[in-house]
């Protein structure tokens, strides 16, 4: 069915560039600069990166395109978009669950995302302080990180500030808030990233980082690594929770969706790899896990390096500033779907809806705040509250959401409808996309789940916990051996 052009009631992106910046802003976040390096380090480097990139191309990009065109056809918040599309396709109302589950996962992710983003705000201000006072460095990074995590009030304070910053942008609306913020923040983000890679290249360990990231050691591939790589691909591309669907709802019809999705996917993986190339030389120069691995990887290992180099405080500021900016533009996209939904379903204004959502997420975030101190010993399946939220959201719910979206776009929407959305695509490219969403993505996601059932059930070594001593020692050896070759 050919759709006439219609505008979303929430507003519209003013150009292709605006959409690309906003969606890239959503995709590029803590996932690329905080999560990618630490998950890669825990899974042993090369093999993980390879599978990750495979997942991006074969599963991620087709699903991203599916989300964009579904959003654009529905023109509303994900839940109402699905409601409309199922009605038009005479399909079961159960499909709206995609929207509901997306909203739930969005809440979960944003709640821990905001706390971690709070760390980046705290480090950014610490580096500003160091620069202003002319101090040598930030002191002992391990102690600083420990005292931050050990103090729930500090964590809560930064979490509150970050939620307020996010809500403020969302409250201002699509054009004045979302679009205007990414137009300023994304160029800043790319500049900071270039500065850091430039620095990474001067450390002398750049080659080792290349080997570490790109030389696959296939003996390290386990079902857990497969699941991690797939979860990381979904998380990093912002897929499976309808965030990109919400952004697609504001995309004018005359903009080609296919090439646009490709640009966003490339930019996202590019940033992850480039961030890896900035971080791993520094990490390897400092024995990879100096200061510990796990979620604290970038917050302890890098500051050690910044302390010992000239102008380190400026690179520290650039790095944590970069993380904060990246986190901000992603958090905005996590908040947009529920806010749009409340605006559609209630009499709340966008401003009020943003406050309501921010408070709800803030409350849930307290669980994460306490995971690092008072509740750190409460574990389920060897994972604390925050680790469970992160694992369930990115490794379970996002891939499941993605699976459902692929099936919806491939089997429920008619060929005429998807072809109408992608009319600018060459027949062959469209054919490939449709084949990927109908068969390849669903089957792959399903197979990874099957292989990982053991991981989900067995109380096995948590892949999110800090690597055990022996494990990190082994990782170091691998790196050193590799680099010796
Ligand atoms: N893609 C973001 C990141 O890499 C996180 C995110 C996930 C944002 C899902 C929106 C939706 O940090």
């Amino acid at each position: 069915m050919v759709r006439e052009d219609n505008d979303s009631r929430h507003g519209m992106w003013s150009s292709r560039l605006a959409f690309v910046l906003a969606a890239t802003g959503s995709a590029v976040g803590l996932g690329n600069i905080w999560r990618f390096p630490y998950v890669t380090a825990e899974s042993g480097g090369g093999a993980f990166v390879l599978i990750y990139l495979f997942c991006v191309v074969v599963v991620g990009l087709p699903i991203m395109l599916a989300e964009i065109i579904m959003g654009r056809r529905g023109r509303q918040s994900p839940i109402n978009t699905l409601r409309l599309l199922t009605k038009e396709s005479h399909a079961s109302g159960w499909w709206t669950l995609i929207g509901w589950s997306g909203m739930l996962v969005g809440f979960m992710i944003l709640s821990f995302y905001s706390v971690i983003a709070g760390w980046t705000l705290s480090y950014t201000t610490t580096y500003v302080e160091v620069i202003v006072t002319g101090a040598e460095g930030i002191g002992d990074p391990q102690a600083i990180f420990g005292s931050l995590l050990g103090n729930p009030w500090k964590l809560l304070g930064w979490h509150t500030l970050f939620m307020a910053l996010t809500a403020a942008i969302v409250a201002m609306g699509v054009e004045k808030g979302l679009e205007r913020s990414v137009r300023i923040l994304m160029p800043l983000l790319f500049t900071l990233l270039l500065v850091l890679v430039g620095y990474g290249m001067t450390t002398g360990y750049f080659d080792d980082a290349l080997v570490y990231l790109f030389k696959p050691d296939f003996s390290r591939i386990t079902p857990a690594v497969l699941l991690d790589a797939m979860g990381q691909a979904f998380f990093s591309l912002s897929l499976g929770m309808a965030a990109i669907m919400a952004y697609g709802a504001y995309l004018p019809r005359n903009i080609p969706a296919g090439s646009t999705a490709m640009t966003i996917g490339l930019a996202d993986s590019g940033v992850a790899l480039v961030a890896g190339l900035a971080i791993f030389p520094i990490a390897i120069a400092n024995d990879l896990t100096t200061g510990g691995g796990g979620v604290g990887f970038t917050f302890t290992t890098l500051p050690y390096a910044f302390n010992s180099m000239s102008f380190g405080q400026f690179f520290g500021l650039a790095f944590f500033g970069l993380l904060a900016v990246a986190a901000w533009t992603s958090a905005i996209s996590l908040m947009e779907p529920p806010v749009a939904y409340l605006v559609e379903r209630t009499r709340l204004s966008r401003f009020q809806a943003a406050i309501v959502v921010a408070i709800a997420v803030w409350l849930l975030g307290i669980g994460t705040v306490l995971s690092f101190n008072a509740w750190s010993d409460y574990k389920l399946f060897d994972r604390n509250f925050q680790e469970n939220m992160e694992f369930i959201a990115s490794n379970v719910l996002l891939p499941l959401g993605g699976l459902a979206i692929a099936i919806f776009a491939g089997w429920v929407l008619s060929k005429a409808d998807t072809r109408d959305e992608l009319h600018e695509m060459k027949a062959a490219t469209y054919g490939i996309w449709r084949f990927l969403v109908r068969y390849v993505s669903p089957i792959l996601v399903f197979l990874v789940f099957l292989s990982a059932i053991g991981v989900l059930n067995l109380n096995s070594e948590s892949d999110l916990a800090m690597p055990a001593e022996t494990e990190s020692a082994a990782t170091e050896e691998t790196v050193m051996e590799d680099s010796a070759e």
Side-chain angles (χ1 to χ4, degrees), residues 13 107 159 200 275 329 362 421:
W13 306 118
F107 268 87
H159 165 51
T329 53
W362 181 84
E421 288 299 327

Side-chain angles (χ1 to χ4, degrees), residues 439-451:
Y439 303 100
V440 182
S441 318
I443 293 174
L444 275 180
V445 175
F446 185 69
L447 284 181
V448 172
F449 266 114
L450 272 193
S451 77

Side-chain angles (χ1 to χ4, degrees), residues 284-370:
I284 292 170
N286 292 275
D287 276 353
L288 205 56
T289 46
T290 315
V295 292
F297 186 67
T298 41
F299 289 89
T300 47
T301 304
L302 291 184
Y304 269 108
F306 295 142
N307 272 349
S308 59
M309 65 203 226
S310 34
F311 302 114
Q313 62 276 42
F314 293 98
F315 288 108
L317 178 63
F319 179 76
F320 289 104
L322 165 72
L323 262 176
V325 168
W328 198 12
T329 53
S330 297
I332 292 167
S333 77
L334 282 158
M335 202 180 218
E336 176 63 22
V339 169
Y341 179 71
L342 284 185
V343 170
E344 287 161 12
R345 293 293 291 198
T346 65
R347 295 167 67 168
L348 296 179
S349 65
R350 178 171 264 271
F351 185 81
Q352 292 164 327
I355 293 177
V356 169
V357 172
I359 291 175
V361 175
W362 181 84
L363 284 172
L364 187 59
I366 293 175
T368 291
V369 164
L370 296 175

Side-chain angles (χ1 to χ4, degrees), residues 23-35 105-106 109 113 232-244 268 326-327 329-331 333-335 398:
T24 308
S26 166
V28 173
L30 293 175
N32 306 60
I33 310 164
W34 158 74
R35 200 172 190 273
V105 196
I109 295 180
Y113 207 84
Q232 174 60 20
F234 276 96
F235 188 86
S236 187
L237 292 169
S238 303
L239 296 178
M241 61 140 291
I244 295 292
D268 184 63
T329 53
S330 297
S333 77
L334 282 158
M335 202 180 218
L398 290 185

